[in-house]
Amino acid sequence: MANMSLKRNEMPTQDAKIRATNFCEVALGYSEETAIDEALRCLNCKNAPCVSGCPVNIHIPEFIEKVKTGDFEGAYQVIYKSSSLPAVCGRVCPQEKQCESKCIRGIKGESVGIGRLERFVADWHNAHTTENIAKPQSNGKKVAVIGSGPSGLTCAGELAKKGYEVTVFEALHTAGGVLVYGIPEFRLPKAIVQKEVDALKALGVDLQTNVVVGKTITIAELFDEGYKAVFIGSGAGLPRFMGIEGESLNGVYSANEFLTRNNLMKAYLDGSDTPIFKAKHTVVVGGGNVAMDAARTAKRLGSDVTIVYRRTEKELPARLEEVHHAKEEGINFAMLTNPVKINGDQNGWVESIVCDKMELSEPDESGRARPVKIPDSEFTITADCVIMSIGTSPNPLIKDTTEGLEVNKYGGIVVTEETALTSLKGVYAGGDAVTGAATVISAMGAGKTAAKSIDEYLKNV
Amino acid sequence: MYKIASKKVLNSFVTQMEIEAPLVAKKAQAGQFIILRVDENGERIPLTVAGFDREKGLVKIIFQIVGATTNKLNQKNAGEFIADFVGPLGNPTRVEGLKRVCVIGGGVGCAIALPVAERLHNMGCEVDSIIGFRNSDLLILEDEFKAVSDNLVVTTDDGSYGIKGNVTMPLKEALESGKQYDEIITVGPLVMMKFVVLTAKEYNVPVTVSMNPIMIDGTGMCGGCRLTVGGKIKFACVDGPDFDGYQIDFDEAMKRGTTYRDFERHAYEENCNLFKKEVK
């Protein structure tokens, strides 16, 4: 019988006060009983609007039907047909803007907790599976994948399953891309990413860390070495700064640097040799998921934290759950606030940040209300650390060393959307290297598209 | 894992190693750098390439033991391994078209200046080198510089070897006497490079400086290595590490270099004590 409760089952979480002092995962996941109860809220709509909201078109009602009957492994197999990283996506997808936004139950009441169910199913599978991944028969065709983030991992996995000999080149010393350097442990435990990477290796994917394509080796050289196709999933690249006075003071970080020190380099652990500045008052500039991650990391390192954003809470690009969690953890939100200058002390360290108060006016070309400065509204926030989280611009390393690779005016690689093909024969691209900073799931979708195109292309070579 | 093929102590603070890294050796050029991690808990540190043997697949690094990581690295011996070694990163030093160049190295910076001097020498450029050290005990690479320089001047702060004073004195003398250089290329402590720039400015000679700020990834991702160059933010890892010396905000770079000084001192002392204990 359907569960007609208007409210979804709550996600059990670590207590906010306790979790704000540790790096363990915040959300604890549904139990089997809760998962079945939540699944029973799904009406199994014939036209399944939720599926159209999913960038990789997971057959959502179909997997939820399996959960209802307690066939969790069956549910996993349904998801796995469309998504190769369900344990990751169940945790980091902005479901409220995707599948859940289309859910009929959301019209009157709360939508079905699709993301929470996806996570439950993936975790159940990881905890119970005993199957050994078999390495498929090789078709002898070599493909190079640049970058081991969500798009690269997906593309590599899809191609390996089809028998291609895939080599993934990763610039850093650990595979996973933004999943390991960017997203914090408390939101996405690294063990989950490692499990996905290990699964790829079991499929026969050769993973080479410490190779910077564009520097250590170029795309042209990859073709010389016998690779028949190349996928570029090199990610978003250079952090942006505001261009205001004081951004080079000590204590000013890009979110990328701050998060990399903590996530990839594990600076928060005693055994790590990588230093991190433990601030007392941190100001994070920006309103996206990365800003939330940076703020919540700073909080866990013992700082009080204020997020400064020039629009209102309604326009925050971050996932709702992240904003909600951040608030629970005691992070201050200063909305309609725009930094104009960072003040430093005589030794070159941050002392405070000066901001204007803003108000919203007419929508701009992005469709969002444009923030406008309120005259003479300047005020100062005391801070010894400022983290700039206002986006990234594409990395030039591959573009500069690959003749004929077309990029747009922002430096993003130009591709045909349906095929992920770039301006060069046999070279495909996807993820943030194409779109600029976007979501894990859209990067995965692009990796999948590219794998399909590469397969079609190489079938005839 | 990357094998240490050879290790040579250059002085009590400076060590030279050759690392087996064929892909890096194949591509490396003077002026570029690598990033290494000694072990699993290690931090990533950038070191400029001090030489390479493409055939043998070896990359030479020369480092000064200044903190916990370089100390850890120095404990390793030939035949042992380090966890990570990636590169070559950054842009090579631009030498095209240069006919007369003054190469100025300070301290361990000489290790980086040497391959540049070598490259210039091999392409037929006239090379005057000035290398400076605090004292004679710290002197490195004198013979190597001699081999690739038309003139070589060595300075020490205390006068225990060569000319007493710093590198700007012989530079000023040369420029004063009418010596013409297409360019001055300098690598060393920030304060030294700053004064080389100030000295050269009076005579309008272009100066290229090699910057070595704090870095993590070395590929443009973290922005930790940012510098103000001509009033704009530049990343040493992808835009450099060489820059027009006249455009660099040295005072800011020096301040940024101190960010982790306390942490490093603490880590170094802890690390040292650890090794002391092992000796007992």
Side-chain angles (χ1 to χ4, degrees):
Chain A
M1 213 189 88
N3 170 358
M4 293 312 290
S5 163
L6 294 182
K7 286 208 165 287
R8 60 166 90 185
N9 282 279
E10 273 191 37
M11 175 61 108
T13 52
Q14 267 198 80
D15 180 78
K17 279 210 180 69
I18 296 167
R19 72 178 191 242
T21 63
N22 68 46
F23 279 83
C24 301
E25 194 172 13
V26 169
L28 302 170
Y30 279 167
S31 65
E32 293 187 6
E33 294 73 33
T34 316
I36 293 173
D37 190 59
E38 184 62 26
L40 288 168
R41 294 185 64 231
C42 174
L43 302 176
N44 195 11
C45 307
K46 278 274 168 303
N47 58 349
C50 50
V51 177
S52 68
C54 173
V56 295
N57 302 117
I58 292 174
H59 300 295
I60 293 164
E62 198 184 320
F63 99 73
I64 293 181
E65 282 304 297
K66 303 250 184 217
V67 175
K68 285 180 188 173
T69 66
D71 177 10
F72 305 132
E73 181 58 28
Y76 179 82
Q77 293 306 331
V78 172
I79 299 176
Y80 192 64
K81 269 191 276 179
S82 317
S83 163
S84 49
L85 306 169
V88 173
C89 293
R91 286 172 167 80
V92 304
C93 265
Q95 291 102 1
E96 76 270 11
K97 288 176 188 160
Q98 298 177 342
C99 51
E100 292 176 8
S101 74
K102 314 270 182 187
C103 178
I104 300 300
R105 294 297 306 263
I107 297 169
K108 195 178 149 199
E110 290 180 344
S111 65
V112 174
I114 301 171
R116 295 169 181 185
L117 287 172
E118 180 187 27
R119 171 189 158 143
F120 166 79
V121 165
D123 287 355
W124 192 94
H125 168 84
N126 283 342
H128 293 86
T129 182
T130 48
E131 56 158 350
N132 283 321
I133 300 168
K135 189 183 160 184
Q137 177 79 34
S138 165
N139 66 13
K141 290 172 185 167
K142 281 167 68 176
V143 178
V145 170
I146 303 166
S148 63
S151 71
L153 290 180
T154 304
C155 185
E158 297 284 321
L159 289 168
K161 282 182 213 163
K162 291 190 166 87
Y164 290 93
E165 289 184 13
V166 183
T167 305
V168 177
F169 296 99
E170 167 56 49
L172 292 170
H173 56 263
T174 306
V178 72
L179 305 177
V180 297
Y181 76 71
I183 302 176
E185 179 78 16
F186 57 81
R187 199 148 79 79
L188 177 64
K190 300 298 158 267
I192 288 172
V193 183
Q194 192 53 49
K195 196 148 189 146
E196 303 294 355
V197 172
D198 289 344
L200 274 193
K201 286 187 188 160
L203 278 172
V205 172
D206 176 23
L207 185 71
Q208 296 204 14
T209 52
N210 294 330
V211 179
V212 183
V213 175
K215 286 288 175 188
T216 316
I217 194 163
T218 63
I219 288 180
E221 287 165 336
L222 288 173
F223 281 107
D224 291 345
E225 289 198 1
Y227 291 96
K228 300 290 178 217
V230 174
F231 173 73
I232 307 170
S234 53
L238 319 188
R240 284 208 191 104
F241 289 88
M242 294 185 75
I244 59 174
E245 194 185 324
E247 278 184 302
S248 289
L249 289 164
N250 292 353
V252 181
Y253 287 98
S254 75
N256 272 5
E257 180 183 359
F258 186 75
L259 290 170
T260 301
R261 283 182 181 274
N262 279 290
N263 299 330
L264 177 73
M265 307 309 296
K266 302 193 168 43
Y268 67 90
L269 294 178
D270 276 345
S272 170
D273 290 345
T274 300
I276 185 79
F277 169 53
K278 288 189 180 164
K280 291 188 178 67
H281 309 286
T282 302
V283 167
V284 177
V285 180
N289 287 321
V290 177
M292 300 302 140
D293 286 345
R296 296 171 70 198
T297 299
K299 184 80 189 177
R300 281 160 173 75
L301 290 171
S303 179
D304 70 56
V305 183
T306 302
I307 290 176
V308 159
Y309 178 60
R310 59 194 183 138
R311 293 187 171 93
T312 71
E313 202 176 315
K314 216 176 87 210
E315 286 85 16
L316 281 172
R319 286 177 77 207
L320 212 57
E321 188 179 277
E322 310 310 329
V323 177
H324 177 67
H325 281 160
K327 282 190 169 171
E328 281 182 349
E329 288 162 15
I331 286 160
N332 308 310
F333 282 71
M335 299 294 100
L336 291 169
T337 302
N338 194 38
V340 288
K341 183 182 160 193
I342 305 167
N343 292 320
D345 66 16
Q346 58 198 23
N347 298 318
W349 283 84
V350 173
E351 220 167 39
S352 64
I353 180 165
V354 181
C355 303
D356 279 333
K357 287 227 157 78
M358 311 294 278
E359 60 189 354
L360 292 184
S361 92
E362 303 297 299
D364 61 13
E365 60 271 21
S366 75
R368 293 184 299 179
R370 196 161 52 90
V372 194
K373 167 184 168 177
I374 300 175
D376 304 319
S377 62
E378 225 174 72
F379 69 106
T380 302
I381 307 173
T382 303
D384 52 356
C385 177
V386 173
I387 301 171
M388 288 294 172
S389 180
I390 52 170
T392 56
S393 49
N395 193 307
L397 290 184
I398 290 180
K399 170 192 68 136
D400 289 352
T401 53
T402 311
E403 211 178 313
L405 185 70
E406 200 187 321
V407 296
N408 63 26
K409 64 175 172 175
Y410 306 107
I413 299 169
V414 176
V415 298
T416 313
E417 205 179 320
E418 302 75 48
T419 60
L421 180 65
T422 68
S423 56
L424 291 174
K425 194 179 162 203
V427 180
Y428 300 76
D432 287 1
V434 170
T435 56
T439 60
V440 169
I441 188 77
S442 64
M444 281 178 47
K448 211 171 141 180
T449 303
K452 194 162 163 259
S453 304
I454 290 171
D455 181 43
E456 273 159 24
Y457 168 64
L458 291 184
K459 260 185 211 162
N460 310 315
V461 169
Chain B
M1 300 292 272
Y2 299 79
K3 193 175 174 184
I4 301 166
S6 74
K7 178 183 176 182
K8 187 174 162 192
V9 175
L10 297 188
N11 67 38
S12 47
F13 298 99
V14 179
T15 301
Q16 170 181 307
M17 282 181 178
E18 283 178 303
I19 310 290
E20 274 183 25
L23 288 178
V24 185
K26 199 172 152 193
K27 282 293 179 66
Q29 292 186 59
Q32 290 187 295
F33 66 95
I34 57 92
I35 282 190
L36 65 79
R37 222 164 54 113
V38 179
D39 56 32
E40 272 310 306
N41 290 324
E43 61 176 333
R44 294 170 65 96
I45 59 159
L47 289 173
T48 308
V49 169
F52 41 83
D53 184 328
R54 298 204 202 283
E55 270 173 29
K56 290 187 185 148
L58 300 178
V59 179
K60 192 191 287 174
I61 51 170
I62 294 179
F63 57 94
Q64 189 167 6
I65 301 140
V66 286
T69 297
T70 41
N71 194 14
K72 243 187 194 178
L73 180 59
N74 194 45
Q75 304 297 323
K76 297 263 181 193
N77 289 309
E80 294 187 89
F81 292 83
I82 57 172
D84 299 290
F85 193 87
V86 57
L89 300 166
N91 302 304
T93 300
R94 278 180 46 201
V95 293
E96 291 77 25
L98 297 178
K99 299 270 184 289
R100 274 171 305 187
V101 173
C102 183
V103 176
I104 303 177
V108 74
C110 294
I112 304 156
L114 179 64
V116 178
E118 217 159 32
R119 174 118 193 259
L120 289 164
H121 176 75
N122 291 342
M123 60 185 242
C125 173
E126 187 186 324
V127 179
D128 287 354
S129 298
I130 306 171
I131 55 175
F133 305 90
R134 283 211 307 276
N135 58 55
S136 60
D137 291 341
L138 301 177
L139 175 72
I140 54 170
L141 304 173
E142 187 189 11
D143 292 341
E144 287 83 347
F145 265 102
K146 213 172 254 169
V148 296
S149 308
D150 294 85
N151 295 293
L152 172 67
V153 179
V154 183
T155 67
T156 51
D157 293 356
D158 65 355
S160 52
Y161 190 85
I163 295 173
K164 182 177 162 99
N166 50 44
V167 294
T168 49
M169 287 170 45
L171 173 66
K172 194 172 168 69
E173 238 168 66
L175 295 171
E176 193 60 41
S177 71
K179 191 91 192 185
Q180 300 285 323
Y181 294 118
D182 301 333
E183 196 168 308
I184 295 167
I185 299 177
T186 180
V187 195
L190 289 169
V191 62
M192 182 201 89
M193 296 196 286
K194 176 181 167 176
F195 280 99
V196 167
V197 170
L198 288 175
T199 307
K201 206 168 196 169
E202 293 171 40
Y203 304 90
N204 239 340
V205 187
V207 184
T208 294
V209 297
S210 173
M211 303 298 282
N212 188 11
I214 294 166
M215 279 186 195
I216 305 179
D217 62 301
T219 63
M221 189 264 283
C222 83
C225 65
R226 64 190 183 278
L227 303 158
T228 304
V229 184
K232 289 207 175 82
I233 289 180
K234 294 278 177 191
F235 295 161
C237 65
V238 290
D239 299 318
D242 288 358
F243 291 98
D244 175 356
Y246 291 166
Q247 303 294 324
I248 293 272
D249 184 339
F250 281 105
D251 294 339
E252 178 192 282
M254 284 186 248
K255 281 181 182 161
R256 281 186 65 76
T258 66
T259 306
Y260 298 108
R261 200 172 45 190
D262 292 346
F263 182 98
E264 274 161 12
R265 191 174 297 142
H266 180 69
Y268 180 60
E269 281 162 7
E270 230 174 37
N271 200 319
C272 284
N273 288 335
L274 214 71
F275 290 121
K276 274 181 217 152
K277 273 178 213 153
E278 276 173 18
V279 172
K280 279 180 200 168

